[in-house]
């Protein structure tokens, strides 16, 4: 049985984001064919399970995100390289080291590049240089490059002269759920028509545009995110949280509760402007939500151009004022064709 190490996520059981959800369902799908080890951040798992979904869990005492993601990934690679046939690396943070490890170990490196990480606004000049260099080294030295979005694949292919494999995320783990009495009692503003989004509170997710628009309306807006993580989030929270029809909620890790909130919103707002196929977007599509998305190639590719797009507060205001957004059924049909875990797991199985 071939041994596979999965590196670069926070870990499983999934409770954080897209990579973690991918690892959750992928490890479950391949457990009969591969001996799988998942490297996890001990900072995010006070209780350290030895196994999950048939995978062995190994813990690294660093955070998996931010600047610590670089030593976190490199440390994981160093621990995995001797004992595994294939290393599936999620993100390029540790890929600077691939040429070095290739000198001493005949291992297969499969790299999921995520988005064009070095273009994210949160990084400084040095970090951008490092990430762009790591991206280039991954493209040139990894055995397989995976892109989760057609636009990312085209970027990697044209920039580095390779043939990346396009594999998106799955979303059929979510299902429509009615609001429970307990949820309505806790969040009474959900018992009406409301727009909803859940994301990290970062400038590239354009939360400032969404809030600026909804401040000018009387329509109910609910946003779930990590408001206290950055000065950007704190400033937005302090400015808008006292407005009666705007509700800014702290992170929610209860998947059932999140599904209730998403299942019953009249409009899902997707402000992400960086990355590839974003999991929260394909999940909203799977639930059949009407969607307004920020106008970037990634989101157009994910939705087959069937979402309604905005690029500023004025445009968003104009679109929600019409009250005629009804693309949910079309987007749900697209999700059923493109974003199922069975299809995605089969694609990874072939590569591994």
């Amino acid at each position: 049985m071939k041994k596979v190490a999965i590196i670069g996520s926070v870990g499983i059981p999934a409770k954080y984001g897209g990579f973690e959800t991918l690892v959750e369902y992928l490890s479950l799908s391949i457990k009969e064919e591969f001996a799988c080890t998942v490297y996890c951040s001990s900072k995010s798992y006070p209780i350290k399970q030895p196994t999950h979904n048939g995978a062995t869990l190994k813990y690294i005492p660093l955070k998996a995100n931010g600047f610590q993601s670089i030593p976190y990934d490199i440390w994981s690679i160093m621990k995995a390289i001797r004992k595994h046939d294939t290393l599936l690396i999620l993100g390029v943070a540790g890929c600077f080291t691939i040429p070095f490890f290739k000198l001493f170990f005949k291992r297969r490196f499969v790299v999921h590049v995520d988005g064009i990480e070095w273009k994210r606004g949160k990084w400084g000049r040095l970090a951008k240089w490092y990430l762009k260099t790591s991206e280039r080294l991954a493209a040139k030295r990894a055995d397989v490059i995976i892109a989760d979005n057609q636009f990312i694949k085209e970027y990697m292919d044209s920039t580095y002269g390779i043939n990346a494999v396009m594999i998106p995320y799955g979303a059929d783990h979510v299902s429509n759920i009615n609001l429970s009495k307990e949820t309505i009692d806790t969040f009474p503003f959900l018992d009406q028509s409301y727009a909803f989004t859940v994301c990290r509170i970062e400038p590239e997710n354009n939360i400032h545009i969404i809030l600026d628009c909804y401040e000018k309306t009387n329509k109910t807006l609910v946003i779930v995110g990590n408001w206290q993580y950055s000065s950007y989030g704190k400033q937005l929270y302090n400015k808008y949280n006292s407005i009666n029809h705007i509700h800014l909620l702290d992170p929610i890790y209860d998947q059932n509760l999140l599904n209730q909130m998403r299942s019953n919103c009249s409009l899902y707002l997707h402000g992400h402007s960086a990355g590839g196929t974003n999991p929260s977007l394909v999940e909203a599509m799977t639930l059949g939500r009407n969607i307004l998305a920020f106008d970037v190639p990634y989101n157009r590719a994910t939705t087959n151009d069937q979402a309604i797009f905005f690029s500023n507060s004025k445009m968003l205001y104009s679109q929600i004022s019409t009250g005629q957004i009804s693309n949910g059924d079309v987007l749900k049909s697209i999700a059923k064709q493109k974003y199922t875990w069975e299809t995605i797991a089969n694609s990874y199985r072939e590569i591994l």
Side-chain angles (χ1 to χ4, degrees):
M1 184 178 285
K2 287 190 174 182
K3 297 179 180 180
V4 175
I6 303 180
I7 291 163
S9 74
V10 174
I12 52 175
K15 62 176 184 178
Y16 187 77
F19 271 160
E20 291 66 42
T21 304
L22 169 63
V23 177
E24 180 82 30
Y25 287 94
L26 180 59
S27 61
L28 183 63
S29 297
I30 68 173
K31 66 179 182 179
E32 301 300 329
E33 299 146 273
F34 299 92
C36 183
T37 301
V38 177
Y39 287 82
C40 310
S41 168
S42 63
K43 301 292 185 180
S44 298
Y45 292 94
I47 299 175
K48 297 171 180 57
Q49 298 178 202
T51 62
H52 181 71
N53 282 354
T56 300
L57 306 185
K58 298 291 186 181
Y59 295 89
I60 303 296
L62 294 170
K63 293 182 179 180
N65 297 294
F67 285 104
Q68 285 194 27
S69 66
I70 296 171
Y72 174 78
D73 284 9
I74 294 172
W75 194 338
S76 300
I77 293 170
M78 291 174 62
K79 290 179 72 68
I81 194 75
R82 294 181 182 276
K83 299 180 180 180
H84 298 86
D85 304 297
T86 299
L87 280 67
L88 172 58
I89 303 174
L90 306 176
V92 300
C95 292
F96 200 92
T97 60
I98 289 179
F100 171 78
F101 285 115
K102 281 270 190 177
L103 290 174
F104 301 99
F105 299 95
K106 293 183 178 180
R107 302 290 187 262
R108 293 185 73 242
F109 284 83
V110 178
V111 178
H112 183 314
V113 295
D114 198 11
I116 307 175
E117 186 68 21
W118 61 270
K119 285 190 174 183
R120 294 183 186 269
K122 64 183 178 181
W123 301 119
R125 182 179 300 178
L126 180 61
K128 286 178 182 287
W129 172 85
Y130 175 86
L131 291 168
K132 188 173 184 180
T133 303
S134 287
E135 176 188 277
R136 177 173 57 82
L137 291 173
K140 295 297 185 181
R141 300 305 303 274
D143 297 278
V144 181
I145 292 292
I146 295 173
D148 64 28
N149 184 281
Q150 185 62 31
F151 181 82
I152 300 294
K153 171 180 165 53
E154 291 170 2
Y155 161 79
M156 294 297 295
D157 290 356
S158 62
T159 302
Y160 301 109
I162 62 173
N163 185 21
V165 179
M166 211 287 279
I167 310 177
Y169 288 108
D172 53 337
H173 58 281
V174 298
S175 58
N176 282 291
I177 306 173
N178 291 329
L179 290 167
S180 68
K181 183 180 183 303
E182 180 184 5
T183 298
I184 295 174
D185 289 343
T186 306
F187 307 104
F189 46 83
L190 297 179
D191 197 20
Q192 60 186 309
S193 176
Y194 62 93
F196 181 75
T197 190
V198 54
C199 64
R200 295 176 187 147
I201 309 303
E202 298 177 346
E204 64 196 29
N205 291 339
N206 293 295
I207 301 303
H208 54 287
I209 289 178
I210 295 172
L211 287 168
D212 179 68
C213 169
Y214 271 82
E215 182 185 25
K216 300 177 175 68
T217 75
N218 60 359
K219 298 177 182 293
T220 301
L221 171 67
V222 181
I223 303 180
V224 175
N226 53 341
W227 301 98
Q228 304 307 316
Y229 183 77
S230 66
S231 58
Y232 171 77
K234 291 175 183 177
Q235 289 171 6
L236 291 178
Y237 188 89
N238 293 336
K239 181 176 180 179
Y240 293 102
N241 191 51
S242 60
I243 298 173
N244 289 336
H245 61 279
I246 294 177
H247 305 276
L248 309 182
L249 308 182
D250 290 332
I252 295 173
Y253 299 110
D254 182 335
Q255 191 68 48
N256 179 276
L257 178 55
L258 276 179
N259 282 351
Q260 288 184 53
M261 291 180 166
R262 284 187 293 194
S263 295
N264 293 277
C265 69
S266 57
L267 180 65
Y268 189 82
L269 299 169
H270 186 72
H272 294 59
S273 61
T277 297
N278 186 268
S280 64
L281 178 56
V282 296
E283 288 173 2
M285 291 170 65
T286 298
L287 293 172
R289 297 302 86 201
N290 299 321
I291 294 174
L292 268 167
F294 195 77
D295 194 358
V296 287
Y298 318 105
N299 295 335
R300 286 189 174 272
T302 300
T303 62
N304 287 6
D305 275 328
Q306 295 303 305
I308 294 176
F309 299 96
F310 67 94
S311 55
N312 55 57
S313 179
K314 184 178 180 180
M315 186 181 296
L316 179 59
Y317 182 87
S318 174
Q319 289 161 338
I320 65 174
S321 297
T322 66
Q324 297 177 349
I325 300 168
S326 58
N327 54 14
D329 289 343
V330 173
L331 293 169
K332 185 174 183 178
S333 177
I334 293 169
K336 283 185 176 180
Q337 296 171 26
K338 295 175 64 175
Y339 305 124
T340 65
W341 283 115
E342 181 180 0
T343 300
I344 287 147
N346 285 337
S347 297
Y348 274 96
R349 190 178 289 111
E350 291 176 10
I351 289 172
L352 297 176

